[in-house]
Amino acid sequence: MNFLLDEVARATLRLAEAGVPSPRTDAEELAAFVHGVRRGELHNVADADFDALYWECVARRAAREPLQHITGRAYFRYLELQIGPGVFVPRPETEIMVGWAIDTLRAMDVADPLVVDLGTGSGAIAISIAQEVPRSRVHAVESDPEALIWAKRNIDASVHGDRVTARQADMRTALTELDGRVDLLITNPPYVPTADAAQIPPEVRYHDPAPALWAGRDGLNMIRELERVGRRLLRPSGAMAVEHGDGQGIDIPPLFPEEAGWRDVRNRKDLAHRDRFVVMRRADDWPSGHYERGERT
């Protein structure tokens, strides 16, 4: 075994002992970061003594600091994003929801689809849609000013960023000027139950921003609010996708009832075949927004 692989193996053991869920992958990602290459290019790196930086990075990861905070980068679909403290780290599960949104937009008979991403965080969802759906216009909303800095940084770095507009606002009240006009609304809202705090991995519990995580004892407080937001923003036949946590799939479809003008409410699964996000449409014959549940204006 060459020296590099031997050091990665030692780092893998150390991370495994610390309880890191993917020790080999993370040890390789850290090695790639130190050498300035992608993980798949490590075999091209010549044998050389790792300097102290590698083991400093391994120690930080063993202390359960997120890998993305150490390397400063996260991968999402076809994007490499800048990531650090103060912003939610995008997850692979969310890529499946974004794929559904992209397919849905491509199937729409709309020349310039209007999209809203509520709780944009790093901007991963908004930028992916702008990149993969030509002529789409995406409004990215984030309430946390620190997270918004990261979103704007990633938007500015993207060649498709000119079609993404980011603003600081409460997702429950934002974008009233778009009421009844939005083709697709997508959101990865806070959905972690405060009752589950003790079971949340330390990378999440201590490093992801609290406003992006917690949503009441059952985790559904914000999603309940978003039903009203969807009714306000979406045009008739407009589509919506809402990510949720494990075990919440059974509770969310009833929050979007037919009598409030919703149709085609379905749970969709993630990479592990678990319910991960709910999709729905506004009924064709219901006007958007300013009415109470089940009452037309």
Side-chain angles (χ1 to χ4, degrees):
M1 179 181 293
N2 64 37
F3 185 82
L4 185 151
L5 293 179
D6 187 47
E7 294 294 273
V8 168
R10 288 175 54 207
T12 298
L13 180 59
R14 180 169 177 181
L15 295 179
E17 290 172 344
V20 172
S22 51
R24 179 73 186 192
T25 296
D26 288 17
E28 291 177 351
E29 285 285 0
L30 292 173
F33 165 65
V34 168
H35 283 281
V37 299
R38 296 290 187 99
R39 181 180 159 214
E41 300 168 339
L42 275 175
H43 63 280
N44 294 325
V45 175
D47 284 353
D49 287 350
F50 276 15
D51 60 21
L53 175 60
Y54 181 65
W55 289 103
E56 176 188 332
C57 292
V58 170
R60 290 170 63 187
R61 186 68 188 100
R64 306 303 292 272
E65 184 176 348
L67 173 71
Q68 296 84 356
H69 286 193
I70 301 169
T71 65
R73 64 191 183 194
Y75 302 105
F76 187 88
R77 291 184 68 84
Y78 303 104
L79 303 176
E80 181 177 320
L81 300 164
Q82 299 177 63
I83 295 291
V87 68
F88 184 81
V89 176
R91 310 295 202 261
E93 293 85 357
T94 306
E95 296 184 36
I96 304 299
M97 179 175 69
V98 174
W100 176 90
I102 289 167
D103 290 343
T104 299
L105 287 165
R106 288 172 176 169
M108 287 181 178
D109 186 20
V110 178
D112 304 290
L114 181 60
V115 180
V116 168
D117 170 23
L118 296 178
T120 195
S122 66
I125 292 175
I127 300 168
S128 291
I129 290 175
Q131 175 176 289
E132 297 182 56
V133 183
R135 298 174 61 99
S136 60
R137 296 162 294 144
V138 186
H139 291 262
V141 175
E142 176 55 59
S143 62
D144 187 333
E146 194 170 355
L148 189 64
I149 292 171
W150 289 100
K152 289 183 174 179
R153 189 174 295 166
N154 286 314
I155 290 166
D156 290 344
S158 170
V159 297
H160 306 280
D162 60 330
R163 288 190 283 107
V164 180
T165 302
R167 69 176 69 186
Q168 183 181 351
D170 187 320
M171 69 171 69
R172 296 168 293 188
T173 57
L175 303 172
T176 55
E177 70 276 14
L178 300 182
D179 283 0
R181 297 171 48 202
V182 174
D183 296 299
L184 185 139
L185 189 157
I186 186 169
T187 178
N188 181 9
Y191 56 70
V192 180
T194 54
D196 294 348
Q199 294 144 27
I200 302 303
E203 291 90 342
V204 177
R205 187 163 74 248
Y206 300 125
H207 295 280
D208 276 332
L213 297 177
W214 313 110
R217 187 163 182 81
D218 65 357
L220 299 178
N221 284 3
M222 182 57 75
I223 295 176
R224 292 186 182 97
E225 299 268 6
L226 289 173
E227 187 275 331
R228 185 179 296 272
V229 178
R231 284 192 282 131
R232 173 172 64 83
L233 286 172
L234 289 173
R235 63 166 173 82
S237 297
M240 184 170 176
V242 181
E243 184 168 325
H244 60 74
D246 293 347
Q248 294 175 330
I250 194 171
D251 299 314
I252 295 175
L255 301 179
F256 295 82
E258 184 177 353
E259 61 267 26
W262 295 102
R263 65 176 175 86
D264 303 332
V265 182
R266 301 283 187 275
N267 247 301
R268 298 291 180 125
K269 298 189 182 298
D270 63 16
L271 296 167
H273 304 290
R274 296 171 298 193
D275 288 345
R276 178 57 59 189
F277 63 102
V278 173
V279 301
M280 65 287 292
R281 286 185 181 271
R282 296 295 289 134
D284 297 350
D285 60 345
W286 279 75
S288 296
H290 303 290
Y291 51 85
E292 295 304 315
R293 183 182 294 267
E295 297 180 359
R296 301 181 188 232
T297 54

